[in-house]
Amino acid sequence: MSNITVCARFRPLSSKERRDDGDRICIQRIDTETFIFKDEKEEDFTFSFDRVFYEESNQAEVYEFLALPIVRDAVNAINGTIITYGQTGAGKTYSMEGPSVLEVDEKKKGLLPRVVDGIFEHIKSFDEMTKYSIKLSMVEIYMEKVRDLFDLSKDIIQIKESKVQGILLSGATEISVSDASQALQSLSTGIANRAVGETQMNFASSRSHSVYMFTIQKESLGDKRMKAGKLVLVDLAGSEKVEKTGAEGRVLEEAKMINKSLSALGNVINALTCGSGRANHIPYRDSKLTRILQDALGGNSRTAILCCCSPSPSNASESLSTLRFGGRAKHIKSSPRVSCNEDKCAKKHETLFENKDESSDRILNKLRERLDIEDVKLLEELFILEGILFDPYSVEELESDYEDVTSRTISSLQHHVEELVSSVKELKRENRALKARMAAAEKHDTLHKEDAIISNVLRKISGIFSFFFFWGSLSSVEVPK
Ligand SMILES: Nc1ncnc2c1ncn2[C@@H]1O[C@H](COP(=O)(O)OP(=O)(O)OP(=O)(O)O)[C@@H](O)[C@H]1O
């Protein structure tokens, strides 16, 4: 099953759209998952998503379906990512933040404040033997530069990869938050900083990607085990095509950068959905956005994408491209894992950073020492059959691939062992049956031999008797004198 939840959300028509097109809309609903979309040429397209939120859907419904399962997992150390995608004005920020992260009207609250409430509510339900610590980072990607929204002086944040924690925003400010109101206050400060930065640099928030990262560390005081989950929310820049913005100069450059990173996102999704598994290079490094989302899309995260659209025929072509993006994303398969504490896991992960071919050779060489050449060949075939040949180009995928290889090899071997055990049982049964038949045959053979001897003896005895009888009859014949 896919771990990517993809939903579509249609906002109500804007007053401008109503002025231009009246009440006309380009969607015909079928149910809560499927609708027919009419494009500019009046051509019909049927789309199905995990859930479709039409204009009357409220913020709570979106949170409960799309984000709540991810929040529940995140407090149990399973990484989660929530992304809003769509053209400028389609409702991404409204869905993500609501009118404001400090909004008090329950109905209007967006995903971010609900996620914050959700995290702290779930934490409360654990006993006192579980200790949580939550940290928050907030960055913005603009023109392929990652800027710290808690400290605007940090305007070139590097993205690094740790063996254990996965993708990291190196040096980005992490604010420890101990309750929901503190977290919301920090988010609000980051959002205000974003506006300041945008004014300084003369660009609008719709031209940048906003990334909110919660690191949730869970410590079990009993056995001192530590786990950490990362929950990332991303409000993407508008996905509209450059031509539509009528942009020139710097604005055109911005639009090109956004298109480049969103195309990189599209390419990563295509590679993940079309890949054969073997030698399939996933181009995460082609943009800062895809690099930050690597964990989310590449396997170690539960991900939800909200495709935000206008229902107006005047925006049909942009909405269609948003829906097609969501349709492709639906086919990504990922398998989230529980993240573990650095100390405990570091050693285990050290081995993962060798080249994939080296890993493969190392495993096979070790097996050659123990197994005969035929078995190793068989195992090699098994690796190929299971799609476990290694791609040396995506070293960054090693960790998840390695675990994938191990678990698939183990389950494959378990399967083979089970088959062998049942063949052994079958052979034993056959063996017992054969022995029984042999014993019966031997018995039969002995009896047969005994019978033959007896009948032979009887034949001889009757021969002797016949002789005496014949002799007697001869001697009793009276010879005429
Ligand atoms: N579901 C909704 N219900 C009511 N109003 C909405 C809804 N979605 C969006 N809006 C309104 O539509 C307008 C545009 O939405 P929003 O700012 O969220 O778009 P956006 O996709 O984030 O654009 P940008 O890329 O510029 O940030 C806002 O005025 C917002 O209040």
Side-chain angles (χ1 to χ4, degrees), residues 9 11-12 87-94 206 238:
R9 183 177 198 185
R11 62 158 168 72
Q87 74 176 115
T88 295
K92 299 180 298 295
T93 308
Y94 180 85
S206 57

Side-chain angles (χ1 to χ4, degrees), residues 138-185:
M138 211 177 139
V139 298
E140 179 174 51
I141 309 171
Y142 173 67
M143 299 287 274
E144 282 303 276
K145 283 198 185 117
V146 183
R147 219 158 56 108
D148 188 339
L149 287 175
F150 287 139
D151 181 352
L152 291 180
S153 68
K154 296 183 186 169
D155 56 1
I156 305 186
I157 298 287
Q158 301 293 327
I159 305 167
K160 299 216 167 127
E161 190 172 7
S162 137
K163 291 176 203 169
V164 179
Q165 291 159 282
I167 297 296
L168 291 174
L169 298 167
S170 173
T173 309
E174 282 190 301
I175 297 184
S176 289
V177 285
S178 53
D179 58 40
S181 71
Q182 201 186 352
L184 291 173
Q185 207 53 60

Side-chain angles (χ1 to χ4, degrees), residues 285-299:
R285 287 169 192 265
D286 282 5
S287 76
K288 296 280 188 289
L289 174 67
T290 47
R291 188 78 171 119
I292 289 180
L293 291 178
Q294 182 175 326
D295 283 348
L297 300 165

Side-chain angles (χ1 to χ4, degrees), residues 9-14 53-59 62 84-99 194 204-208 235-240 308-309:
R9 183 177 198 185
F10 292 93
R11 62 158 168 72
L13 285 166
S14 68
F53 300 103
Y54 298 104
E55 58 182 87
E56 73 284 0
S57 305
N58 59 49
Q59 300 277 65
V62 179
T84 53
Y85 184 100
Q87 74 176 115
T88 295
K92 299 180 298 295
T93 308
Y94 180 85
S95 300
M96 187 59 90
E97 296 174 14
R194 184 175 67 194
S205 66
S206 57
R207 319 310 305 147
S208 67
D235 187 358
L236 291 174
S239 60
E240 56 277 1
C308 301
C309 300

